Amino acid sequence: MENFKIDVDADGIALVTFDVPGRSMNTLTSGVMDELPQLVEAIKADDAIKGAVITSGKASGFCAGADLADMAGGMIGGANLQEAFDAGWKMNGALRALETCGKPVAAAINGLALGGGLEFTLACHYRVVGDNPKIQLGLPEIKVGLFPGGGGTQRLTRLIGVQGAMMAMTSGSSWKPNDAKGAGVVHEVVPAGTEVEAAKAWIKGGGKAVQPWDDKGFKQPGGGPYHPAGIQSFLVGNGMIRKQTYGNYPAAMNLMRAVYEGVQVPMDAALRIETRYFIKTLMTPQAQAMIRSLFLSKQELDKGAVRPTGVAKSDPKKVTVLGAGMMGAGIAYVQVMAGIETVLIDQTQEAADKGKAHVEELLKKRLSRGQMTQDKFDATLAMVTATTDYAHVKGSDLVVEAVFESREIKADVTKKAEAELVKGAVFGSNTSTLPITGLAEASVRPEDFIGIHFFSPVDKMMLVEIIMGEKTSQEALAKALDYVLKIRKTPIVVNDSRGFYTSRCFSTFLMEGMAMLDEGYSPVLIDNVGRMTGMPRGPLEMHDDVALDLSYKIAKQTRADLGDKYVPNAGEALVATMVEGGRFGRKNGKGFYDYPAEKGAPKTLWAGLAELAPTTKANDQAEEPSAFAYIEELKTRLLYRQAVEVVRCWEEGVIDDPREADLGAILGWGFAPWTGGPITLIDQTGLAKFVETADRLAAAYGDRFKVPQLLRDMAAQGRTFYGDFAGQKKAA
C-alpha cells in the first residue's frame, strides 16, 4: 500500500501509519479509499495482529478530510445513481468493516482531524488525542454545502446524542482536544507525542473490539425520535435549521433526515441511509456550487493561481502600516502573526500606541486560550513599533496605507512614506472606493503603487482585494500577492474602477434596500427578506454596520469627482438627513436601528424612520398572486441587482476570472454562499433565463437592472462564464 504502512510489534499490535505520499497533509484521496479495504483485510486476516493503532505520519495533522477535487467526480459525474451510491459507499463500507473486524482498533490522533479524517477515527473503538491547542476535531462539511458522508451523522449521534451532534454538524464547528473529551467525542487526552503509547496501552489492557452501538443493550443517548426527551431535539432542531438556512441549504435538511431515520435502525442500515442522503445532497446545484467556489477555487487562489509567471518570489520581512485605527491595527496584527516586522505610524504617538494596544488585546486572547506561549506573546508584540516618525519606514519591503478615506490625506502620507522607500518596494493603498490610478498621481513611482483592500475586522475576514492601477507593474502585483499569501489571506486581483469590485457590487445590495424603502416597503420586511436571500444581514442592517456617515462621505466625494455626470442613489437624501442628524450607524449606536449600550441587548428599529420613510405598501399586496410570490420578487431583486453589477464589472474589465468574482463576492461582502457566487448563480440559472428576468425587473423598477450587451451576446451564443474560462490561465 502507498498510503498506509503497517509495523507489528512484539505484542502483536499493528501500528498503522497513515501517510499520503507527496502531500504535506493527509487527505482522503481516491487512492486512500481504494486501499482502505486492503488495510482492513490486512488487520483482520493476519493472525499475528492482535489489535491496531492508526496514527498519522505527517507532522501537520492526522487527516484534513476528503480530497473533494479527487473524490467528488465519481459521485457527481454521471446520471447513474447506482454508480454514484457505490462511489459514496466506498468509505462507509470500509469503515464499517474496520469497526467490525473483530480486533480492537485505536486512533492515536496526533494532529487535526476534520471531516472524513474525524469520521475515520470515529470508526475506531478508542480515540486518544494529543494535548495540543492547535489540534482541531470537527465535521465542517456543511460549510461547503455537504454533510458528513463517512458515517459521521450516525456515529457522532450515537456517541453524544442528537442535540449535541446536530449542533456540531450544522455549525461545522470544531473541538479542541479537552473539549472533545468533555463532549464524549474522544476517550483520552494525553501529552503530545505519547498518543501511540497510550493507544497501545489501551489495547494491552484488554480494549474492547466492539463499538457501543453494536452492543445488544445499546440505547441512544438523549433518546430517539419516539422518546419523550428525544423528540424535542427533532422538533426544535427542525425549527432552528429553518431559521438559520431559510431553506437555501439542502445539506442541512438532508442531514436532519439522515439522523432522524438513521437512529431508528441498526448501524448497517443507518449508514446506507446516510449515503443515500449524502449523494442526493452532493448532486444539488447548491452543493456543487459551494464545493467549486468555497473549496476548489479557494484552494487554487490560496496557492497563488493568479500570480504573474516569470516574476521571482518575494518574502516581505518588514512592512509599514500608515494609520493605526482599527483597520491599520488589524493589519498590523495579521502581519506579526505571520512573522513580519511591523511599523505602525499615526499622526500622534497616542494614536499609534492605541493601535499597538489593539494588537496586544488580540494577542492576549490567543494567550488566554492556550494558542500562544508567554514567550511567543512577548516576541510577537515586540515586532510592532508604534511611532509618528516616518524614518522608521526605511528598510520596509511594503507599505500599506490605511488612513482616512480622503484623497488629500492619502497623497500626503504617500509622499512622506515613499521618501524613505528603496526602489522596488511596493506602496499599497487600503482604500475601499477611491480609484487607484488617481491616488497613484501622488506617487513618484506609480509602477510600484497598488491597491491592497482589506476587510473589517481584518483578523477574521479572509479576503484581500488587490487592485491594479493603470501603471501598476506585474512585479508589484507579484509582490503584493506574495505578501497576502504570507499573511494567510485569500487574494483576488481586479482592475481599477470607482469602488473596484467588492465595494461597488456590495453597495448595490444596500442601494436596492434603500430603493425598497423609498417605494414604501416596511424596513422590517426589507431586512427579513435580505436575510432570506442568504445574505448575512438585511440591507438596512448592513448599511448601519458599514456606517451611514461613510456612505454619506463617499457620495459627497463621488459627486465632487463626477460633477454633472453624477446620478444620486436611491435613499441618498434620506441617509444625508440621518447623518446630519447625528445618526452614523452601529458605530455610534444610532442608524436605521437604535443599539443599546447594554451588552447583549437587542437592537430596535428607530422610531423616527417611520416619518422619514413611511410604510405605504402592505405585505399582502392585492396585485400579487400570493404572499410567497411577493417575497420571491423582493429576494430576486436583491440578488439580481448585485449579479447585474458583477456582469458590468466583467464587461468593463474590472474582473475577468469567475473564481475571483465568486469567491470575492462570498468572502468580501457575504453574497449568498448557497449560490456559489454571482457568476455561478448566473451560469446555473441559465444566461438566457437570467437575461429574461433582468429585463422584466428593468421594465418594472428601472435601468439599474439592465444587463450589459456582453451578457445578451453570451446568452444568444449559448455560452457560460465558467465554460469560457475552462482551461484558461489568467493573463500575466
Side-chain angles (χ1 to χ4, degrees), residues 304-314 477-479 481-482 485 730 732:
V306 296
R307 189 183 187 278
T309 57
V311 180
K313 187 168 177 59
S314 61
L477 171 59
K479 289 176 181 177
L481 282 166
D482 292 340
L485 294 176
K730 192 177 179 73

Side-chain angles (χ1 to χ4, degrees), residues 239-525:
M240 287 182 66
I241 286 175
R242 186 69 193 179
K243 178 183 177 183
Q244 292 166 358
T245 70
Y246 293 99
N248 292 322
Y249 298 88
M253 284 311 300
N254 285 341
L255 166 60
M256 175 68 89
R257 293 183 180 109
V259 170
Y260 177 79
E261 295 174 24
V263 295
Q264 300 182 59
V265 297
M267 180 59 80
D268 292 292
L271 293 174
R272 290 195 295 272
I273 288 169
E274 178 192 84
T275 301
R276 291 191 188 104
Y277 277 118
F278 180 79
I279 296 301
K280 181 178 181 179
T281 302
L282 189 61
M283 289 181 166
T284 62
Q286 294 91 332
Q288 294 182 30
M290 292 177 73
I291 289 170
R292 180 169 65 188
S293 293
L294 295 172
F295 187 81
L296 303 178
S297 293
K298 187 174 186 302
Q299 276 195 339
E300 291 166 6
L301 296 176
D302 285 346
K303 291 176 181 177
V306 296
R307 189 183 187 278
T309 57
V311 180
K313 187 168 177 59
S314 61
D315 183 16
K317 304 286 188 185
K318 178 181 178 181
V319 176
T320 293
V321 180
L322 307 179
M326 290 296 285
M327 179 65 77
I331 296 169
Y333 168 74
V334 297
Q335 287 181 180
V336 294
M337 284 301 296
I340 298 174
E341 180 187 351
T342 296
V343 177
L344 191 56
I345 296 180
D346 213 308
Q347 289 180 301
T348 67
Q349 189 61 46
E350 181 184 9
D353 289 339
K354 186 177 180 181
K356 183 171 181 177
H358 181 64
V359 176
E360 183 176 11
E361 182 183 332
L362 292 172
L363 291 173
K364 280 181 178 177
K365 288 181 181 178
R366 298 188 68 85
L367 183 66
S368 67
R369 294 168 184 161
Q371 298 170 324
M372 177 179 278
T373 65
Q374 184 64 52
D375 288 346
K376 181 68 174 174
F377 170 89
D378 294 337
T380 304
L381 186 60
M383 295 178 75
V384 181
T385 300
T387 182
T388 61
D389 188 357
Y390 278 77
H392 284 279
V393 175
K394 283 188 177 71
S396 293
D397 302 296
L398 179 86
V399 169
V400 179
E401 167 269 300
V403 301
F404 187 70
E405 201 78 341
S406 158
R407 185 172 282 104
E408 292 73 25
I409 296 174
K410 289 180 184 292
D412 179 56
V413 300
T414 298
K415 291 170 183 174
K416 288 178 180 177
E418 282 192 341
E420 308 295 337
L421 288 175
V422 299
K423 183 176 175 58
V426 173
F427 189 98
S429 175
N430 179 56
T431 180
S432 59
T433 57
L434 300 177
I436 291 300
T437 301
L439 294 179
E441 292 173 2
S443 171
V444 295
R445 41 189 206 170
E447 70 278 3
D448 291 326
F449 196 101
I450 197 167
I452 304 179
H453 177 207
F454 286 86
F455 296 80
S456 185
V458 180
D459 58 304
K460 293 189 172 91
M461 297 293 282
M462 294 308 300
L463 188 77
V464 173
E465 182 181 34
I466 297 178
I467 306 104
M468 297 287 285
E470 284 182 9
K471 297 182 180 179
T472 305
S473 68
Q474 291 296 299
E475 289 74 18
L477 171 59
K479 289 176 181 177
L481 282 166
D482 292 340
Y483 162 71
V484 171
L485 294 176
K486 183 167 183 175
I487 60 174
R488 302 181 188 91
K489 300 293 185 184
T490 298
I492 63 169
V493 180
V494 305
N495 290 314
D496 203 10
S497 165
R498 182 169 296 277
F500 318 127
Y501 173 62
T502 55
S503 296
R504 172 177 166 179
C505 296
F506 168 57
S507 68
T508 63
F509 177 65
L510 306 185
M511 292 307 104
E512 195 58 27
M514 295 300 297
M516 292 174 179
L517 197 62
D518 270 0
E519 291 167 25
Y521 289 100
S522 158
V524 173
L525 174 69

